Amino acid sequence: MKILITGGAGFIGSAVVRHIIQNTNNEVLNVDKLTYAGNLESLKEVDQNERYQFSQTDICDRIALDELFKDFQPDAVMHLAAESHVDRSISGPADFIETNIIGTYQLLEASRYYWNTLAGEKKSAFRFHHISTDEVYGDLEGTEDLFLETTPYAPSSPYSASKASSDHLVCAWHRTYGLPIVLTNCSNNYGPYHFPEKLIPLVILNALAGKSLPVYGNGAQIRDWLYVEDHARALYKVMTEAKVGETYNIGGHNEQKNIDVVKSICELLEELAPNKPEGIAQYQDLITYVTDRPGHDLRYAIDATKIKQDLNWVPEETFKTGLRKTVQWYLDHQDWVRNVQSGEYQNWVIQQYANA
Ligand SMILES: NC(=O)c1ccc[n+]([C@@H]2O[C@H](COP(=O)([O-])OP(=O)(O)OC[C@H]3O[C@@H](n4cnc5c(N)ncnc54)[C@H](O)[C@@H]3O)[C@@H](O)[C@H]2O)c1
């Protein structure tokens, strides 16, 4: 297969590209604008492979997309390109509307135009796989409730509203134009190559640097964590095996309070990086509670029964095994960290956590 992947230089996209190049014979065209979150360093393991190519392209650029479809002739599209950080969506929603909604619209139109030029088996086998988030469902009140594929959408942040909007566009392009789509909504991912603005890498790297570990509100927010390589395997399974028009929720059955995640990282660091920065008795002493994010969702949790039953997918990592691997990866890859921490990123962190 020839697979056009958008956002392949990002956290999850790069895991998908590495998974496909290393475990299948498929070809990949990675289409990525390379925003602050895109990093070609994350593809070093595969970028010399002859089945991999890269194009620095904005998904909002329809003319460029049409050229790429014409030249590459993909059998499938996996759409991961997005603005993905909730805090950034609150301080500046415009990019989220542009990429997540308009960009998805342009990609759908480029895909539809290309798909209409196909015939026979190539046309019926074509897939447009839209990768989305469980945040489109809003938050859960009861401790027993879980998100199902049928849970009504109730997004809370500009990020989740823009992703919900893109999901609706994708479903409409299927129903109205017959575009053969599949859709997945996943819980919070963690693992190697995660950009250091997100909770887990931020805490690991701040702790190692002896900086405060910012926790929003009282840290009681619950997230359902999935190791990124488990997500990449699930996405490939859905793209190749799911029936057209299906939606799958993907989750790790690993519900954790944010504060417990931070404490678990501190415990792992005590063991794996015992030489602490000067003046720090315990990593946990660095925990600092900061003003909560406006509209912060309290709990997300996925019911991943459907993907298990239909496609026989279950995660391989527990939170304990995955977190240990992740902490060790950051300890072993300080060069990658230094490379991604550009001046723009530093400025953003200073502004975001000014009261920490
Ligand atoms: N991170 C999570 O926990 C999580 C969970 C569920 C779903 N998702 C979804 O998975 C997808 C990937 O998430 P991620 O965490 O890897 O994001 P990320 O922010 O790490 O990467 C996004 C990538 O998209 C690229 N990009 C952004 N705007 C673009 C544009 N206009 N044109 C082309 N490329 C552009 C960036 O350069 C970057 O490489 C997103 O759609 C996100 O909504 C993420």
Side-chain angles (χ1 to χ4, degrees):
M1 283 173 81
K2 290 175 140 201
I3 307 167
L4 188 158
I5 298 182
T6 71
F11 169 49
I12 302 172
S14 68
V16 173
V17 173
R18 291 191 304 272
H19 175 75
I20 292 176
I21 294 295
Q22 290 171 339
N23 298 288
T24 76
N25 288 321
N26 299 317
E27 283 179 49
V28 168
L29 170 61
N30 174 13
V31 177
D32 196 300
K33 179 181 172 183
L34 296 183
T35 66
Y36 77 95
N39 188 358
L40 294 176
E41 291 279 314
S42 307
L43 293 158
K44 279 264 172 284
E45 291 170 43
V46 295
D47 63 5
Q48 297 307 311
N49 192 297
E50 59 187 15
R51 289 181 286 110
Y52 170 78
Q53 359 170 359
F54 171 68
S55 169
Q56 184 170 5
T57 299
D58 187 336
I59 57 162
C60 299
D61 183 345
R62 173 69 196 280
I63 294 167
L65 288 178
D66 283 345
E67 280 296 306
L68 291 174
F69 275 86
K70 197 167 114 218
D71 292 347
F72 187 62
Q73 297 279 312
D75 299 296
V77 172
M78 296 179 86
H79 176 34
L80 295 103
E83 287 293 336
S84 71
H85 192 34
V86 177
D87 289 336
R88 285 183 188 255
S89 82
I90 294 168
S91 55
D95 287 348
F96 289 73
I97 307 305
E98 190 64 26
T99 287
N100 300 0
I101 305 178
I102 309 292
T104 300
Y105 157 72
Q106 296 292 12
L107 187 69
L108 280 166
E109 280 296 78
S111 301
R112 181 167 77 93
Y113 177 81
Y114 163 76
W115 177 66
N116 277 327
T117 66
L118 303 177
E121 170 62 12
K122 179 119 175 152
K123 184 166 189 176
S124 57
F126 182 81
R127 290 290 178 277
F128 184 103
H129 180 175
H130 182 57
I131 286 83
S132 191
T133 166
D134 63 351
E135 299 195 27
V136 297
Y137 300 124
D139 63 357
L140 292 163
E141 280 178 17
T143 49
E144 300 301 313
D145 296 345
L146 296 169
F147 295 134
L148 292 164
E149 286 79 359
T150 49
T151 301
Y153 278 28
S156 312
S157 69
Y159 163 67
S160 53
S162 68
K163 289 298 290 188
S165 176
S166 67
D167 291 11
H168 290 315
L169 291 176
V170 169
C171 292
W173 260 240
H174 173 55
R175 174 132 183 201
T176 307
Y177 305 113
L179 188 72
I181 66 106
V182 285
L183 171 60
T184 49
N185 296 87
C186 187
S187 60
N188 275 39
N189 283 219
Y190 70 102
Y193 301 103
H194 204 179
F195 195 73
E197 67 187 352
K198 304 281 172 77
L199 179 69
I200 290 181
L202 182 89
V203 168
I204 298 171
L205 298 172
N206 275 17
L208 291 173
K211 294 183 187 163
S212 66
L213 309 181
V215 173
Y216 281 131
N218 60 5
Q221 309 84 2
I222 295 173
R223 302 290 178 261
D224 177 359
W225 293 93
L226 178 67
Y227 193 64
V228 68
E229 290 170 13
D230 277 327
H231 189 196
R233 282 193 308 108
L235 293 178
Y236 186 71
K237 239 179 184 309
V238 170
M239 199 264 297
T240 51
E241 297 177 29
K243 276 198 256 150
V244 168
E246 285 289 347
T247 294
Y248 285 98
N249 282 352
I250 308 174
H253 311 289
N254 279 311
E255 280 186 57
Q256 302 279 336
K257 281 189 188 152
N258 281 351
I259 185 65
D260 294 337
V261 171
V262 175
K263 287 181 177 166
S264 300
I265 293 169
C266 290
E267 279 165 26
L268 277 165
L269 285 173
E270 294 292 345
E271 180 194 332
L272 301 172
N275 294 330
K276 291 181 266 296
E278 218 179 295
I280 310 294
Q282 289 188 92
Y283 286 113
Q284 286 207 20
D285 298 343
L286 295 167
I287 293 174
T288 311
Y289 294 92
V290 299
T291 313
D292 207 353
R293 169 193 283 169
H296 207 165
D297 288 334
L298 189 55
R299 176 171 169 260
Y300 305 138
I302 286 260
D303 183 338
T305 308
K306 184 178 168 190
I307 188 169
K308 183 179 175 191
Q309 281 178 350
D310 287 4
L311 305 178
N312 198 22
W313 174 87
V314 285
E316 287 175 5
E317 301 291 344
T318 63
F319 190 65
K320 203 171 166 204
T321 60
L323 192 64
R324 176 175 283 273
K325 279 189 181 177
T326 305
V327 171
Q328 190 62 58
W329 187 90
Y330 279 91
L331 290 171
D332 295 341
H333 291 82
Q334 294 292 315
D335 285 354
W336 179 88
V337 172
R338 269 190 294 276
N339 283 340
V340 300
Q341 285 176 323
S342 66
E344 191 273 337
Y345 170 68
Q346 293 295 352
N347 294 339
W348 186 83
V349 170
I350 291 165
Q351 205 187 325
Q352 184 68 19
Y353 299 112
N355 62 348

